[in-house]
Amino acid sequence: MTATAGKVLHFINGEYTAGTGARTFENRSPVDGSLISVVHEASKADVDAAVTAARAALKGPWGRMTQEERSAILHKVADGITKRFDEFLAAECADTGKPRSLASHIDIPRGAANFKIFADLVKNVATECFEMATPDGKGAINYSKRGPRGVIAVISPWNLPLLLMTWKVGPALACGNTVVVKPSEETPTTTALLGAVMNEAGVPPGVFNVVHGFGPNSAGEFLTTNPGVDGITFTGETRTGEAIMKAGAVGVRPVSFELGGKNPAVVFADCDMDKAIEGTMRSVFANCGQVCLGTERVYVQRPIFDEFVARLKAGAEGLKLGRPEDKDTNLGPLISQEHRSKVLSYYKKAVEDGATVVTGGGVPDMGGDLANGSWVQPTIWTGLSEDSAVIREEIFGPCCHIRPFDTEEEAIELANDTPYGLAAAVWTENLARAHRVAGQMEAGIVWVNSWFLRDLRTPFGGSKQSGIGREGGVHGLEFYTELKNVCIKL
Ligand code: NAD
């Protein structure tokens, strides 16, 4: 029993289990509020059992395998996701309400790709070697060797559940670690399904474990405070990261954090307007604005400001809100009623702070069953001052504010005036300007004339309050491995 039977279970030591906890919680559809499944909430004893299984598995067959053997198994995991593509797709769309067209192109294929890329990459990573002189003239050789860090706690969010969870589990396992995953309480199903895929692929029991529940005083806290955990990788809100960092401080466990953002797009008058509109439409509204890399602040050079606002408005008003399975749906609901209340509080605040509502600003009339879903209108504002909470804080909804600027220097200053530093987009056809501005953006990821274009070998992460460390390519190895120096006297 995983999720399809209407119950979502933990996956501990290679087996699905309801655990020892008596508590369950409901997983409801953001589309129409209907009940999807009942999820078992892990007790402290369940989390302890998962960590114990993961520790034991480090010393079992997984720990004795060669890199080639582990990589071959991870390829089978990727193939297993692809084989069950429809099951994963249905589960992800049910939990999140996102359009099938989006999840089938991004979430599920990337979930599989995350295992292949790291399986191949880790096999081919070289380490350093230094020869040194010694007083006796015979010398010594130093070489470094990478080994797994140990048991990794993976805490993942709800916006891209399978994609972001496997983005951590893939490299963690490729490096020989074992994991205990705590998926978001909003989206437990695809992580639960992955347990069966792991078994089919031949991943030994205890290497991949899943516990369900919430953060404080629940599975999240039980996991991050468990002394058997050697490192914590987390994607989610900056405030949650602060709480997890405190938990990690006990026992001096390292953390890897991908946190929130308040990402700017800077659109220069010399841009290709069609491309800038198309890219900004995606970066503001994709996944109903629930993308950490999404744009919530748009700065447009004054000569093209009016045209840009008019065209983005037309684009937003052309978006079709609807059920995930409807072919013409561009936009789903927000993840939950709770998140909708948060987003709507910013819609209200924008008006209180004197914004001009260019479009949207409220709740759409969806009718029928959908009236019980967490829908909001795609929204664009102008006219806010930069100190408004709407400009300062991450909203995580289908909305943006557009402000005019005059000079390149002004645009850079406005874009960087934020405590966050995850991503930025720059739209210009001037090559020198593209390099100049990209170099000055205080962000871990800068896109020029594109958005969400990702080569999985490149570093991924944020500066300032948007994260600690980099995932992607060889960069994640800093967290997922321990580097040891061996010095041999000749
Ligand atoms: P969240 O911080 O509320 O929750 C994330 C996970 O942390 C969930 O599994 C939750 O149960 C768990 N959690 C909460 N409190 C905890 C605690 N005290 N101890 C241990 N675990 C705890 O985030 P969310 O609402 O699920 O996701 C949205 C946020 O994630 C946004 O801020 C978004 O920007 C961010 N995000 C960042 C990236 C990135 O790559 N930088 C990617 C996606 C999402």
Side-chain angles (χ1 to χ4, degrees):
M1 234 186 353
T2 56
T4 41
K7 281 187 179 170
V8 180
L9 302 177
H10 314 299
F11 184 76
I12 299 175
N13 209 20
E15 288 180 3
Y16 284 103
T17 168
T20 60
R23 292 203 300 210
T24 57
F25 59 95
E26 290 183 341
N27 177 21
R28 288 198 170 266
S29 163
V31 174
D32 57 16
S34 61
L35 184 68
I36 301 171
S37 57
V38 171
V39 187
H40 284 265
E41 183 180 350
S43 65
K44 185 167 180 312
D46 299 329
V47 175
D48 290 351
V51 174
T52 302
R55 287 221 75 77
L58 282 172
K59 300 229 180 300
W62 187 246
R64 292 192 294 271
M65 275 179 204
T66 62
Q67 189 60 57
E68 281 71 17
E69 287 167 333
R70 276 200 297 264
S71 291
I73 289 181
L74 295 182
H75 268 265
K76 287 189 189 157
V77 172
D79 294 342
I81 294 174
T82 307
K83 213 165 87 189
R84 290 170 174 246
F85 193 94
D86 291 344
E87 205 179 340
F88 276 98
L89 182 61
E92 204 72 316
C93 292
D95 278 4
T96 60
K98 66 176 69 185
R100 283 178 79 100
S101 52
L102 183 71
S104 61
H105 278 98
I106 296 185
D107 298 69
I108 313 304
R110 265 289 301 279
N114 284 339
F115 285 99
K116 287 196 173 158
I117 175 97
F118 290 107
D120 293 344
L121 191 124
V122 170
K123 264 194 314 189
N124 295 309
V125 173
T127 53
E128 61 203 15
C129 176
F130 294 108
E131 286 184 50
M132 64 184 283
T134 56
D136 64 5
K138 294 186 178 162
I141 295 176
N142 292 273
Y143 65 90
S144 53
K145 215 173 142 41
R146 285 191 187 276
R149 183 173 288 288
V151 175
I152 304 292
V154 174
I155 313 247
S156 49
W158 46 257
N159 60 330
L160 298 153
L162 181 74
L163 187 159
L164 290 172
M165 180 267 299
T166 53
W167 179 237
K168 297 172 180 304
V169 172
L173 297 190
C175 292
N177 300 285
T178 59
V179 297
V180 180
V181 184
K182 209 293 286 169
S184 169
E185 55 275 26
E186 306 284 0
T187 53
T189 317
T190 48
T191 305
L193 281 174
L194 192 56
V197 171
M198 292 281 173
N199 279 351
E200 286 160 14
V203 174
V207 171
F208 174 81
N209 305 275
V210 181
V211 289
H212 299 287
F214 303 84
N217 198 27
S218 184
E221 185 180 321
F222 301 150
L223 181 56
T224 52
T225 53
N226 188 307
V229 165
D230 299 302
I232 305 165
T233 176
F234 165 72
T235 296
E237 280 189 23
T238 298
R239 297 289 87 83
T240 312
E242 288 175 352
I244 292 178
M245 205 167 178
K246 282 185 195 150
V250 179
V252 208
R253 277 95 44 83
V255 294
S256 168
F257 281 173
E258 302 295 347
L259 307 175
K262 187 73 184 177
N263 310 306
V266 180
V267 187
F268 287 95
D270 59 19
C271 73
D272 177 322
M273 182 66 114
D274 290 345
K275 284 189 201 153
I277 290 289
E278 190 271 331
T280 309
M281 277 298 296
R282 283 196 304 122
S283 74
V284 174
F285 298 114
N287 208 34
C288 204
Q290 302 166 117
V291 181
C292 55
L293 306 165
T295 302
E296 291 191 2
R297 297 179 297 136
V298 187
Y299 300 102
V300 181
Q301 207 161 16
R302 204 171 300 270
I304 60 164
F305 182 77
D306 290 343
E307 184 191 350
F308 188 93
V309 172
R311 288 186 62 178
L312 206 71
K313 172 182 191 290
E317 290 173 355
L319 290 170
K320 172 86 176 58
L321 280 67
R323 290 185 180 278
E325 59 277 16
D326 292 347
K327 286 208 165 44
D328 55 351
T329 295
N330 311 115
L331 215 64
L334 293 170
I335 189 69
S336 63
Q337 293 291 346
E338 192 189 345
H339 187 50
R340 180 167 85 152
S341 300
K342 179 185 155 191
V343 172
L344 288 176
S345 75
Y346 284 103
Y347 282 20
K348 186 161 167 263
K349 179 89 179 108
V351 175
E352 286 166 4
D353 286 358
T356 299
V357 181
V358 175
T359 187
V363 174
D365 181 10
M366 298 301 290
D369 292 354
L370 300 190
N372 299 321
S374 331
W375 304 91
V376 291
Q377 289 176 326
T379 295
I380 299 171
W381 304 285
T382 56
L384 281 171
S385 106
E386 291 293 296
D387 59 6
S388 166
V390 177
I391 305 287
R392 307 297 304 166
E393 297 166 14
E394 182 185 49
I395 301 172
F396 226 54
C399 54
C400 71
H401 177 259
I402 316 180
R403 177 194 164 118
F405 70 87
D406 293 300
T407 66
E408 192 177 299
E409 295 69 31
E410 183 193 1
I412 292 166
E413 204 178 311
L414 285 164
N416 287 340
D417 183 16
T418 166
Y420 294 107
L422 188 54
V426 181
W427 299 91
T428 175
E429 292 294 297
N430 178 326
L431 185 63
R433 168 174 275 158
H435 286 290
R436 211 166 45 229
V437 176
Q440 291 179 78
M441 284 289 156
E442 294 171 2
I445 303 157
V446 181
W447 278 290
V448 177
N449 298 332
S450 67
W451 181 76
F452 212 79
L453 196 56
R454 290 268 297 119
D455 181 320
L456 303 186
R457 295 167 297 186
T458 59
F460 178 92
S463 58
K464 303 201 268 188
Q465 289 185 27
S466 289
I468 296 179
R470 293 290 181 273
E471 299 184 319
V474 294
H475 311 282
L477 303 189
E478 291 306 317
F479 174 75
Y480 291 111
T481 61
E482 280 288 358
L483 200 52
K484 176 191 301 179
N485 188 63
V486 180
C487 178
I488 304 192
K489 173 77 177 65
L490 300 178

